[in-house]
Amino acid sequence: MWEDIKDFASTFFVTGDPLIYGADVSIVLTMLAIVFVLTKYKKWGWLWREWLTTVDHKRIGIMYLIASLLMLFRGGVDALLMRLQLAFPNLEFLHADHYNAIFTTHGTIMILFMAMPMMFGLFNMVVPLQIGARDVAYPFLNALSFWLFFLGAMLFNLSFVIGGSPDAGWLSYPPLSQNDFSPGPGQNFWIWGIQISGIGSLATGINFIVTILKMRAPGMTLSKMPLFSWSVLSSSIMIIFAFPILTITIALLFLDRFAGAHFFTMDGGGNPMMYLNLIWMWGHPEVYIVVVPAFGIFSEVVATFSRKRIFGYKSMVWALMAIAIASFFTWAHHFFTMGTSASVIAFFAISTMVIAIPTGVKVFNWLFTMFRGRISFKQPMLWTIAFIPCFLVGGATGVMLAVAPADYQYHNSYFLIAHFHQVLIGGVVFGYLAGIYYWWPKLFGFKLDEKLGRWGFWFWNIGFYICFMPQYALGFMGMTRRYYTYGWDRGWEDLNLVSTVGAFMMGIGFIFQVWQITYSIKHGERDTTGDPWDARTLEWSIPSPAPFYNFAVVPNVKDSDDWWATKQAKANGTYKEEPVHLEPIHMPKNSGIPIIMSTFWFLIGFGFTFGWVWMAVVGFIGVAVCMWVRSFQYDTDYYVPVDEVRRTEASLGRVL
Amino acid sequence: MMANHHDHSHGHDHHEEHEQLKVLGFWIFVVTDCILFGTLFATYAVMMHSFAGGPTGKELFELPGIIASTFILLTSSFTSGLAVLAMNKGKVKELIAWLAVTAVLGLAFVVLEVNEFTHLMHEGATMATSGFWSAFFTLVGTHGLHVSVGLFWMVALMMQLKRRGINAVTRRKVTNLSLYWHFLDVVWIFLFTVVYLMGVM
Amino acid sequence: MTQHQNHGGHQDHGSLKSYVIGFVLSIVLTIIPLVLVMNQMLEKTALVITILVMAILQFVVQLFFFMHIREGEKPRYNVQTLILGLVIVFTIIAGSIWIMMFNKY
Amino acid sequence: MSGGKMLRQIHFWILAALTTVLLSGCGSEYLVLNPKGPVAETQYNLIIISTILCAVIIVPVLALTAFIVYRYRDKPDNKAPYKPEWAHNSVLEAIWWGIPVVIIAILGYFTVRDTYVLKESPNKEVAPMTVQVTALDWKWMFTYPEQNIATVNYLEIPVGVPVHFQISAEAPMNSFWVPSLGGQVYAMAGMATELYLQADEPGEFAGFSSNFSGEKFAHMQFKVVAKPQEEFNKWVSEVKGTSPAMTKEDYNELKKPGLAEEKLYSAFPEGLFEEIVQKYGHGHDMDHVMQKQPAPTGDKSKETSQLPPTDMSNMPGMDHSSMKH
Ligand code: HEA
Ligand code: HEA
Ligand code: CUA
Ligand SMILES: [Cu+2]
């Protein structure tokens, strides 16, 4: 009996590595600390009522933000570990299997559990406020999306201490990811972590499409809608078409592993290339899904900090939509080297390059928004300006990759690694950081400290170029990605060391940002006006932080930069004060079902990961019961009485 | 810039609008389901000839049962339409009755499918037989699973209709359900054509 | 106000007549390919094309007679989503087949 | 910190980085930038062309960015015009929809041209020699059907002769890459991909697997040696004279996961490569690869050309007749 337990434990828990024991201990300690604090201050009820069951888009946005920052840390630590291992030739810091697990989790976490939730966080924090709505179209579904993401991410991260991490690359190509070559639960964690959070992402896509199409304030026609909201629409369109493909692809991979199917196996008529084909049909749109909202953020920030209307609004909208559609016709550029026909390769090479055209238009429009403007270098603007050169060069190397015959030389080399970090960090991370700095005061009511922020900014930026520019050169030297080590004979050592130094500079930048946040909570400049940047769109017309119902009175929009126009009119004295008429506000009720149902999904994932079918069955029954119960709930919303609205507004310093 | 009043008269309640919103959302969900099936069809098309020495579809498919399921599902699509008609006329009893007919037909379809699958497994064609059979079972099974979920939903809805009658919420739910049901019918038509008819050619 | 403006009265969704027509059409469109295939009445390529066309026609029938694609609010976001979705479905299927053929040119 | 200062810093770093890449491009460790054969040469030219075409637009835009950010910074005494409502200009917008179109068109032309070119032998004058490449868990096996010799992790080829590689695997997917001679192609179980390479001068080149295939992937490298034809012939007869023959058992031993030293074999089991390909056949039409054998040049070459075309289509899952190529 005891032996059995020991046996079980030694395969169940990941053992044998001091790093992991360290992680185990710190996880247990953190959990205990959280439980202790919550119990001591009697905060369990508060946590449940105010956060875990909330359907308020602003709170959900904040939860996404916190989770994604934690994931940025985890993914970043992975990155630093990899860079440490590669700093010198023949280093024995990480063994091959450990290194392989780390780049796999790094890539997966950064894209699916860092970039995606940070993006959803920004969607949630901004879109309803920007279009003058009181919430998203489906607040309950929104909460469900968040919890599905969160529990999916937790399931994935659990692999670090239980069962073992996946180690077949962030897109887990078969046959390597099949049972024959990747036995054990690691790969299943990958499948189920992504599957569960993927369902949430799909729901978020639907939610925001309907929100944007149907919940805009009166007068805000689509042609007056701010560009960030447009970019969210574009991104959501890609989500709803791309994510079902992902769902199926990894479901099929799971069937191969679990039910002995032969979709992507080497034998039995399976076809591993079909997996490559399918996963990139999702994977390529995916990278645009995450970058397009960053484009939206830049559009808002550039206009605000140049104190000028965005240039070429129509072109910007067309470009966003063109990117969304075109992104579905380029997927094969990720396997030019698969040996398929020349016409396929030629077609996808051209379709890939075509994306440079609308992207370029956006860059030019940003530049000409600054042109004849007045640029002030606040934090959001700093990141935006830094983005431009970084993304230009990264985009240009993307176009070079699209030259298919040349790609035979770049493919899977560090040239590729450099390309995508340049667009992912220079585009996505810089963009989201710009967005977070920009909208932070709206969410929390205070600004983030400028001085610490600048330190963070410069470390990130300089670190970035030091880290990734040498990698282009390494690619030309033949250095292949996913090498856990290399010898002295190739001449790769100098540039690798430089690259590692740069990576650690980015790490220092991140530390400055964490410091900045903790510092600013106490000492940050408070935002009493609700409009700290003298900005242009609706979200700045209400107090910071926004009351739970967002708008006491739904605004009537007349201009594409409506708040700016209002301020202008007030300054010119042409503003016509309209009598305020308050009405009871219709709001959704909180619900515990999203978190409970997602927990059952977690059970399904965990059960299948270890092949414990009974647990998965319990999970499925739980999910079904949750849906049943929800279907029978009719009392799902309520009205906020006028009195309460008036009181709340008064407490925020607004007289109505 | 503040609107003093919603510039429309409050002739109808807010519920109605919220429910309208959910119809659009559900429609979009159905389109994403189209993509899901499209991916399965693509997989099936690529694996169509990967028999790996195992049995082929032509050898094992038994069309009579399939034809029966096809007409059953077609009819159920029609009866779910009749349910919506009854709803528009405000007749709860009739609505529930037509839903019940639809559910029975749907159940018959599922039973036939389970039957077919057991038959195939008997003949030695399982998920693990070859790429072709993996693709077959997944594609057809996913459709069957959708039908089963629809049945589950239909039962819940009939209970709600009984309890609450026709109102904005139940109206929206019936609309969505029938949309879903028609959609499954369409998917089946393509399954029938691509998998079975082309399979026995 | 955008969220309200497209909301004039309730259309009645279809009539008995349209449902019956749709039902009859879909039965006919199922029987034709069935007969064609059972009796091998056409050469293979022609047969495949014919039955696929029948399936598409039947889809159209369901859209118009059962799902009432013509009715509903404007702008027709639902129709736009559907069309885009179908384009992508087509891309997935045709693209996969094309890529996975591995011809030389 | 002022915007100007910040921008100067950004540009300093970009320029520094680019110069590192470009200047050191002459160094011999930059394999891709020192092509040693016509295929790598074609790709090198494309790299240069695409870099120039991108630079043509990217460098001016970078300069423009610097200029605009500096000129329109928010300083009390800044005399630059300020036009907060200026937000549209059809001519300008047409220009920046248009210029990229032109550049992409030019780039697209070269891309498509060379995509088709590289599907063919780079040298029409000389009959290509065939080498079959099999990726195993974590080693490369080369079989020479025309010479009937085999090697592991060591590839020797004659200078000036195009080599037609047929590439497969009995392992997870790898990628066959000799940067000095030209770009890569995947090595996958159940199918044979093809690649033409040629060395223009004698030398020793590094070969890599560039697609991740598991634990010892980082060590899955091989050596390529190019020699004048006579020396190559001499090497072949030497191998034939001195090395052992590979048996079926040897192969089974070889394919077990693990690393291997360089090895030479004076012979290999007949039809080994074809067998490996067919073992996992998964429904592609391999005829175009397998049948297009070069004209027989050596006495042993019959072995591969003997493979009747029906063999592939008889394979389970290989029948594509109904899919209308
Ligand atoms: C946010 C993420 C992001 C973005 C925006 C992009 C943008 C682009 N990417 Fe990238 N890409 C990735 C993330 C991203 N990529 C990732 C993660 C991978 C690897 C995944 C893996 O294998 O693990 C990858 C891989 C990848 C490949 C595969 C290479 C290989 O595996 O061998 C290719 C090939 O074509 C490519 C091309 C492009 C192109 C052409 C663009 C274009 O959209 C860029 C367009 C932008 C510009 C060009 C700059 C601005 C334009 C102008 C100023 C106009 C004028 C310019 C010209 C005419 C040149 N990318
Ligand atoms: C949005 C996506 C994203 C982001 C932001 C990053 C960020 C970084 N990435 Fe990553 N990367 C990917 C997506 C991303 N990456 C993907 C998809 C892959 C492919 C995976 C695969 O091949 O499967 C990849 C692969 C990849 C590789 C190639 C590995 C290989 O092929 O062998 C490398 C190597 O240098 C690398 C480095 C980095 C670095 C240095 C950062 C830096 O920006 C990170 C900055 C650091 C921090 C933010 C953390 C700060 C932490 C601390 C300060 C704590 C310090 C504590 C300790 C050290 C204990 N990444
Ligand atoms: Cu790859 Cu067949
Ligand atoms: Cu891509």
Side-chain angles (χ1 to χ4, degrees):
Chain A
M1 177 70 193
W2 177 236
E3 282 305 306
D4 282 353
I5 295 177
K6 247 171 53 187
D7 238 40
F8 170 78
S10 68
T11 49
F12 188 67
F13 295 106
V14 177
T15 52
D17 192 307
L19 270 170
I20 290 178
Y21 290 134
D24 287 345
V25 172
S26 51
I27 288 173
V28 172
L29 286 181
T30 319
M31 301 263 241
L32 284 178
I34 292 173
V35 170
F36 177 77
V37 170
L38 285 172
T39 314
K40 173 138 190 247
Y41 296 100
K42 299 207 174 53
K43 286 290 189 189
W44 284 105
W46 165 83
L47 187 68
W48 177 258
R49 277 190 312 275
E50 300 289 319
W51 292 93
L52 303 188
T53 60
T54 186
V55 292
D56 179 345
H57 67 96
K58 298 176 287 302
R59 297 209 161 165
I60 291 174
I62 290 171
M63 292 194 290
Y64 269 123
L65 183 63
I66 294 170
S68 61
L69 286 173
L70 285 174
M71 289 293 108
L72 176 59
F73 177 76
R74 154 95 213 252
V77 171
D78 281 349
L80 297 187
L81 291 174
M82 287 193 294
R83 281 317 323 167
L84 217 52
Q85 165 67 15
L86 293 177
F88 300 98
N90 299 329
L91 215 58
E92 302 230 3
F93 170 60
L94 297 174
H95 296 293
D97 43 359
H98 200 170
Y99 184 88
N100 298 346
I102 289 184
F103 69 67
T104 303
T105 53
H106 166 74
T108 311
I109 285 180
M110 283 299 199
I111 296 213
L112 285 150
F113 302 127
M114 188 284 283
M116 288 295 278
M118 202 178 272
M119 172 181 93
F120 290 147
L122 286 159
F123 283 17
N124 269 292
M125 294 187 292
V126 180
V127 170
L129 300 180
Q130 190 166 59
I131 62 173
R134 282 184 171 134
D135 207 320
V136 296
Y138 317 120
F140 174 87
L141 187 67
N142 198 22
L144 183 60
S145 291
F146 170 76
W147 288 109
L148 283 172
F149 145 72
F150 186 77
L151 285 154
M154 287 303 104
L155 182 64
F156 184 86
N157 277 279
L158 213 54
S159 68
F160 189 58
V161 288
I162 295 175
S165 298
D167 58 359
W170 82 281
L171 287 182
S172 293
Y173 283 3
L176 185 63
S177 57
Q178 297 283 11
N179 279 335
D180 294 349
F181 306 102
S182 302
Q187 197 55 48
N188 298 336
F189 273 119
W190 184 87
I191 290 173
W192 282 99
I194 293 179
Q195 191 69 293
I196 292 172
S197 65
I199 300 169
S201 306
L202 180 61
T204 306
I206 297 177
N207 214 336
F208 277 85
I209 288 182
V210 180
T211 305
I212 290 171
L213 290 182
K214 294 297 215 173
M215 311 266 289
R216 277 168 286 126
M220 185 184 280
T221 55
L222 280 176
S223 55
K224 288 197 185 115
M225 186 165 79
L227 281 169
F228 178 68
S229 293
W230 265 111
S231 74
V232 174
L233 182 62
S234 163
S235 173
S236 298
I237 288 174
M238 289 187 270
I239 289 177
I240 64 163
F241 293 130
F243 269 77
I245 308 177
L246 173 71
T247 304
I248 289 298
T249 309
I250 57 182
L252 299 186
L253 180 62
F254 180 69
L255 286 175
D256 275 358
R257 294 177 57 85
F258 181 76
H262 289 290
F263 290 105
F264 314 126
T265 53
M266 265 162 56
D267 58 345
N271 192 338
M273 270 63 65
M274 186 59 186
Y275 180 91
L276 271 70
N277 175 56
L278 289 178
I279 198 86
W280 284 116
M281 251 179 223
W282 159 79
H284 183 79
E286 167 65 13
V287 299
Y288 289 96
I289 287 171
V290 292
V291 86
V292 157
F295 292 168
I297 292 168
F298 297 131
S299 299
E300 303 292 337
V301 170
V302 160
T304 298
F305 294 95
S306 306
R307 303 176 58 74
K308 183 160 167 283
R309 207 177 268 285
I310 190 78
F311 196 87
Y313 175 91
K314 274 219 179 95
S315 285
M316 290 300 236
V317 171
W318 279 109
L320 283 173
M321 290 299 132
I323 292 174
I325 308 296
S327 74
F328 282 93
F329 296 87
T330 69
W331 77 91
H333 67 222
H334 291 278
F335 44 87
F336 280 149
T337 55
M338 186 161 87
T340 186
S341 69
S343 10
V344 170
I345 295 173
F347 172 86
F348 283 100
I350 301 292
S351 65
T352 301
M353 293 175 191
V354 164
I355 301 217
I357 298 164
T359 316
V361 168
K362 300 197 72 74
V363 173
F364 289 116
N365 281 333
W366 289 318
L367 288 179
F368 276 77
T369 305
M370 294 191 256
F371 185 74
R372 297 181 179 165
R374 276 292 172 271
I375 306 168
S376 55
F377 298 95
K378 296 279 164 40
Q379 287 178 87
M381 192 59 176
L382 277 184
W383 290 95
T384 303
I385 294 175
F387 145 84
I388 292 176
C390 196
F391 192 81
L392 278 175
V393 177
T397 58
V399 172
M400 289 170 69
L401 287 166
V403 179
D407 179 63
Y408 303 160
Q409 289 280 36
Y410 306 128
H411 182 58
N412 278 351
S413 74
Y414 264 78
F415 188 92
L416 169 64
I417 302 284
H419 154 66
F420 72 70
H421 281 91
Q422 196 155 11
V423 278
L424 278 168
I425 296 181
V428 177
V429 175
F430 285 13
Y432 293 178
L433 287 174
I436 290 170
Y437 284 114
Y438 184 55
W439 282 297
W440 187 278
K442 182 49 60 192
L443 262 286
F444 298 100
F446 61 88
K447 280 191 192 175
L448 289 169
D449 186 71
E450 278 282 334
K451 197 154 157 242
L452 287 169
R454 275 168 196 255
W455 280 99
F457 172 81
W458 286 110
F459 268 105
W460 262 102
N461 259 275
I462 298 170
F464 174 83
Y465 290 102
I466 296 180
C467 182
F468 290 106
M469 286 302 156
Q471 294 190 1
Y472 285 115
L474 284 167
F476 285 131
M477 294 179 176
M479 181 161 172
T480 300
R481 71 191 291 193
R482 296 169 176 170
Y483 271 2
Y484 79 98
T485 191
Y486 54 93
W488 287 98
D489 48 343
R490 307 260 184 237
W492 299 343
E493 55 277 355
D494 300 344
L495 290 179
N496 267 303
L497 183 59
V498 173
S499 177
T500 301
V501 170
F504 275 85
M505 290 179 69
M506 283 186 273
I508 296 172
F510 183 78
I511 292 176
F512 270 109
Q513 292 176 305
V514 174
W515 181 10
Q516 179 193 23
I517 292 175
T518 42
Y519 175 85
S520 311
I521 290 176
K522 263 240 166 82
H523 309 285
E525 182 193 331
R526 303 292 121 171
D527 170 26
T528 49
T529 59
D531 185 16
W533 311 115
D534 194 8
R536 315 177 70 85
T537 41
L538 280 185
E539 69 269 33
W540 305 106
S541 67
I542 53 176
S544 305
F548 66 96
Y549 47 73
N550 298 352
F551 294 87
V553 178
V554 176
N556 203 347
V557 177
K558 299 191 184 65
D559 192 288
S560 63
D561 289 1
D562 197 61
W563 175 235
W564 182 258
T566 307
K567 286 189 289 190
Q568 294 298 83
K570 277 184 179 157
N572 300 342
T574 51
Y575 181 70
K576 211 163 82 255
E577 196 83 40
E578 288 171 19
V580 174
H581 175 88
L582 287 180
E583 276 180 19
I585 295 176
H586 185 217
M587 294 298 289
K589 278 189 178 162
N590 284 2
S591 171
I593 293 180
I595 185 172
I596 296 171
M597 188 159 137
S598 304
T599 309
F600 282 117
W601 271 107
F602 180 91
L603 284 188
I604 295 172
F606 195 83
F608 275 133
T609 296
F610 285 93
W612 301 339
V613 178
W614 62 267
M615 189 188 266
V617 171
V618 170
F620 275 119
I621 294 174
V623 170
V625 170
C626 286
M627 286 170 52
W628 186 274
V629 170
R630 176 67 186 175
S631 179
F632 280 78
Q633 278 178 0
Y634 276 64
D635 177 25
T636 54
D637 24 31
Y638 69 105
Y639 281 88
V640 185
V642 172
D643 268 2
E644 191 183 335
V645 177
R646 190 162 283 135
R647 250 182 291 121
T648 314
E649 291 290 306
S651 75
L652 293 167
R654 305 234 162 171
V655 220
L656 291 177
Chain B
M1 65 160 261
M2 294 285 178
N4 58 341
H5 192 275
H6 291 186
D7 50 4
H8 74 296
S9 58
H10 267 217
H12 55 271
D13 66 350
H14 275 269
H15 270 289
E16 197 73 31
E17 272 153 31
H18 276 264
E19 301 311 322
Q20 286 283 358
L21 218 56
K22 288 184 180 166
V23 177
L24 177 61
F26 190 78
W27 177 276
I28 297 177
F29 160 75
V30 168
V31 173
T32 66
D33 230 20
C34 274
I35 309 279
L36 197 129
F37 278 107
T39 313
L40 286 172
F41 270 106
T43 311
Y44 182 82
V46 169
M47 308 239 120
M48 199 128 84
H49 303 282
S50 304
F51 300 112
T56 65
K58 196 172 177 150
E59 288 161 29
L60 300 189
F61 289 155
E62 296 199 330
L63 271 198
I66 307 303
I67 295 170
S69 336
T70 305
F71 284 104
I72 289 175
L73 205 63
L74 269 182
T75 313
S76 81
S77 190
F78 176 59
T79 55
S80 80
L82 296 183
V84 173
L85 274 186
M87 177 179 78
N88 288 346
K89 280 185 274 168
K91 297 185 178 159
V92 195
K93 284 244 175 66
E94 203 183 317
L95 164 58
I96 296 181
W98 281 121
L99 282 182
V101 174
T102 310
V104 170
L105 290 170
L107 191 65
F109 175 87
V110 173
V111 169
L112 278 176
E113 185 155 291
V114 171
N115 234 359
E116 190 210 357
F117 278 15
T118 33
H119 161 76
L120 289 173
M121 286 176 194
H122 233 81
E123 299 284 324
T126 66
M127 193 76 140
T129 306
S130 64
F132 169 79
W133 287 106
S134 307
F136 167 85
F137 280 108
T138 312
L139 174 56
V140 180
T142 305
H143 177 267
L145 211 63
H146 272 74
V147 175
S148 313
V149 170
L151 287 176
F152 179 74
W153 183 10
M154 215 174 277
V155 172
L157 193 48
M158 287 190 288
M159 289 165 70
Q160 288 167 38
L161 282 167
K162 197 149 208 169
R163 226 179 276 173
R164 296 172 188 272
I166 299 172
N167 57 33
V169 179
T170 51
R171 185 191 303 279
R172 180 261 303 172
K173 287 184 179 178
V174 173
T175 312
N176 283 348
L177 179 67
S178 82
L179 188 64
Y180 181 72
W181 207 257
H182 296 316
F183 163 71
L184 291 182
D185 193 32
V186 171
V187 173
W188 179 259
I189 292 304
F190 281 93
L191 266 172
F192 177 65
T193 307
V194 173
V195 176
Y196 294 105
L197 288 184
M198 280 162 70
V200 298
M201 259 159 54
Chain C
M1 125 173 258
T2 318
Q3 70 226 63
H4 292 169
Q5 78 199 168
N6 318 310
H7 191 53
H10 302 287
Q11 311 88 350
D12 64 339
H13 293 284
S15 62
L16 184 62
K17 197 168 125 216
S18 80
Y19 277 105
V20 173
I21 296 176
F23 186 47
V24 171
L25 278 178
S26 62
I27 292 205
V28 172
L29 286 172
T30 309
I31 290 179
I32 295 176
L34 197 60
V35 172
L36 288 180
V37 170
M38 302 284 263
N39 305 316
Q40 300 286 352
M41 283 164 77
L42 286 170
E43 177 267 324
K44 196 158 179 179
T45 322
L47 191 55
V48 168
I49 293 175
T50 317
I51 64 178
L52 281 177
V53 168
M54 294 290 164
I56 292 168
L57 278 181
Q58 190 160 176
F59 174 41
V60 174
V61 166
Q62 294 257 346
L63 270 182
F64 280 87
F65 292 92
F66 288 4
M67 300 190 203
H68 317 292
I69 190 83
R70 271 173 306 182
E71 295 158 27
E73 48 189 335
K74 291 203 180 86
R76 298 242 173 82
Y77 293 126
N78 55 350
V79 181
Q80 291 168 11
T81 324
L82 180 69
I83 290 173
L84 200 52
L86 292 179
V87 169
I88 295 196
V89 166
F90 176 80
T91 309
I92 296 170
I93 297 175
S96 296
I97 294 175
W98 189 35
I99 291 172
M100 301 312 287
M101 271 186 197
F102 282 91
N103 286 336
K104 185 160 175 172
Y105 293 109
Chain D
M1 195 173 292
S2 80
K5 191 166 157 211
M6 177 190 73
L7 262 162
R8 256 170 287 145
Q9 291 212 17
I10 292 181
H11 280 108
F12 169 74
W13 285 108
I14 294 176
L15 287 178
L18 285 177
T19 358
T20 329
V21 177
L22 293 177
L23 286 184
S24 46
C26 324
S28 62
E29 63 277 53
Y30 289 86
L31 306 178
V32 172
L33 305 180
N34 288 285
K36 299 287 193 241
V39 175
E41 185 92 42
T42 306
Q43 289 161 338
Y44 174 75
N45 289 338
L46 271 178
I47 291 173
I48 299 301
I49 292 172
S50 56
T51 310
I52 291 174
L53 280 172
C54 285
V56 162
I57 187 153
I58 297 298
V59 172
V61 177
L62 288 175
L64 185 66
T65 311
F67 167 74
I68 289 177
V69 169
Y70 180 72
R71 177 102 203 273
Y72 296 99
R73 69 202 185 285
D74 188 21
K75 263 191 22 211
D77 55 348
N78 194 337
K79 301 239 167 38
Y82 172 53
K83 297 200 170 153
E85 292 297 320
W86 184 69
H88 180 69
N89 184 319
S90 304
V91 178
L92 281 176
E93 285 181 68
I95 290 176
W96 58 65
W97 278 97
I99 293 180
V101 172
V102 174
I103 293 186
I104 297 300
I106 301 173
L107 197 55
Y109 164 75
F110 289 114
T111 303
V112 173
R113 186 192 68 187
D114 287 349
T115 301
Y116 282 90
V117 165
L118 289 184
K119 283 271 167 179
E120 301 283 351
S121 168
N123 181 348
K124 295 283 187 305
E125 266 110 69
V126 186
M129 174 182 117
T130 298
V131 174
Q132 298 162 329
V133 182
T134 309
L136 300 172
D137 250 345
W138 299 287
K139 60 202 78 86
W140 292 95
M141 180 179 79
F142 302 98
T143 43
Y144 292 67
E146 289 152 21
Q147 288 76 16
N148 190 29
I149 58 170
T151 60
V152 171
N153 284 347
Y154 178 84
L155 172 67
E156 190 155 321
I157 53 169
V159 168
V161 178
V163 184
H164 177 219
F165 291 99
Q166 298 177 345
I167 302 163
S168 189
E170 188 160 2
M173 192 167 93
N174 282 283
S175 192
F176 175 78
W177 188 29
V178 188
S180 306
L181 301 184
Q184 64 201 291
V185 74
Y186 285 161
M188 305 175 283
M191 72 182 296
T193 44
E194 55 179 342
L195 178 68
Y196 287 96
L197 295 178
Q198 175 182 321
D200 279 345
E201 49 187 272
E204 230 187 84
F205 313 116
F208 304 91
S209 170
S210 65
N211 193 75
F212 179 61
S213 57
E215 192 191 339
K216 298 201 165 59
F217 155 75
H219 304 293
M220 195 172 160
Q221 302 178 358
F222 58 100
K223 188 156 87 188
V224 184
V225 174
K227 285 181 182 162
Q229 181 79 50
E230 316 83 70
E231 283 181 48
F232 172 76
N233 292 347
K234 228 167 67 205
W235 172 77
V236 171
S237 34
E238 227 175 84
V239 171
K240 282 202 176 300
T242 56
S243 303
M246 181 198 288
T247 60
K248 250 304 165 34
E249 291 71 56
D250 288 336
Y251 173 72
N252 287 335
E253 201 54 39
L254 200 58
K255 80 177 182 196
K256 286 189 182 148
L259 296 178
E261 303 285 303
E262 288 173 14
K263 284 188 178 124
L264 304 173
Y265 295 99
S266 60
F268 61 89
E270 202 180 305
L272 177 62
F273 181 76
E274 289 75 9
E275 214 174 279
I276 294 169
V277 174
Q278 295 187 13
K279 186 166 170 190
Y280 298 106
H282 53 232
H284 299 310
D285 183 1
M286 292 311 145
D287 293 358
H288 63 269
V289 183
M290 308 300 280
Q291 274 170 40
K292 270 194 99 178
Q293 296 291 331
T297 48
D299 49 335
K300 285 287 173 186
S301 61
K302 288 219 179 63
E303 268 168 10
T304 40
S305 24
Q306 262 166 8
L307 183 76
T310 44
D311 260 13
M312 295 300 282
S313 33
N314 277 347
M315 275 298 303
M318 278 289 178
D319 174 25
H320 269 210
S321 48
S322 53
M323 276 178 76
K324 299 273 170 325
H325 292 103

